[in-house]
Amino acid sequence: MGDLLDWIISFLFLVTLLIIVIYQLTCLADLEADHINPYDSSTKINRVILPEFGLQGLLCVYYVLTGHWFMAILSLPHLFYNIRLYMKKEHLADVTEMHNTNKGEQKKRLYKIGHIALCTFITSYWLIHSALGDI
């Protein structure tokens, strides 16, 4: 039962991360289509950047504490990428450069979505495997 609870919590972390990154991607798409101005778009994106980074770090620590080493190692590149962005102070969206960097920012978010989706599928597998093993 404990392993099942670990995978459920992990799944909830990943779904929350997925929602945050999709929200950022939506803001960038709205900016590209001129539905929103650069100031509002960067404000909305910057408001959720640090919670995303914190949640990713917390998820990595959670995997280590629960002994899910494969998932911890799989989520390390995403964590190190976020740490690198934060250390270089490139993590926040710049209002003055929003239109120039929009395509690159969208690409970054799509890679993040792909990585989180991969982790979500693996977690779903282990969640189902643990649920069926408890029957």
Side-chain angles (χ1 to χ4, degrees):
M1 183 65 184
D3 206 32
L4 177 63
L5 186 61
D6 291 344
W7 290 117
I8 290 172
I9 292 170
S10 172
F11 183 79
L12 293 175
F13 273 128
L14 287 167
V15 168
T16 306
L17 272 173
L18 200 57
I19 290 170
I20 289 172
V21 176
I22 288 173
Y23 174 75
Q24 293 171 19
L25 191 61
T26 304
C27 289
L28 290 169
D30 285 348
L31 177 67
E32 185 179 21
D34 281 338
H35 294 298
I36 192 171
N37 64 42
Y39 177 78
D40 290 338
S41 181
S42 65
T43 302
K44 288 179 179 184
I45 291 171
N46 290 342
R47 191 177 299 139
V48 296
I49 290 285
L50 288 180
E52 175 204 345
F53 285 10
L55 195 61
Q56 178 64 33
L58 191 62
L59 181 64
C60 252
V61 169
Y62 182 75
Y63 283 142
V64 169
L65 292 177
T66 57
H68 300 295
W69 301 108
F70 176 74
M71 292 302 291
I73 291 170
L74 186 63
S75 62
L76 278 179
H78 190 179
L79 179 67
F80 286 146
Y81 176 72
N82 287 343
I83 290 171
R84 186 182 67 83
L85 284 179
Y86 186 79
M87 295 304 240
K88 291 173 106 179
K89 304 214 184 291
E90 296 175 355
H91 62 289
L92 297 176
D94 184 16
V95 165
T96 59
E97 293 293 321
M98 285 296 287
H99 284 293
N100 297 334
T101 60
N102 195 6
K103 286 293 184 190
E105 291 293 324
Q106 284 180 348
K107 220 177 261 188
K108 288 179 191 177
R109 275 22 178 236
L110 285 173
Y111 286 131
K112 283 185 178 186
I113 287 173
H115 183 266
I116 295 169
L118 174 68
C119 291
T120 304
F121 290 134
I122 294 171
T123 300
S124 298
Y125 170 78
W126 285 110
L127 176 69
I128 293 168
H129 185 269
S130 295
L132 293 177
D134 286 345
I135 294 178

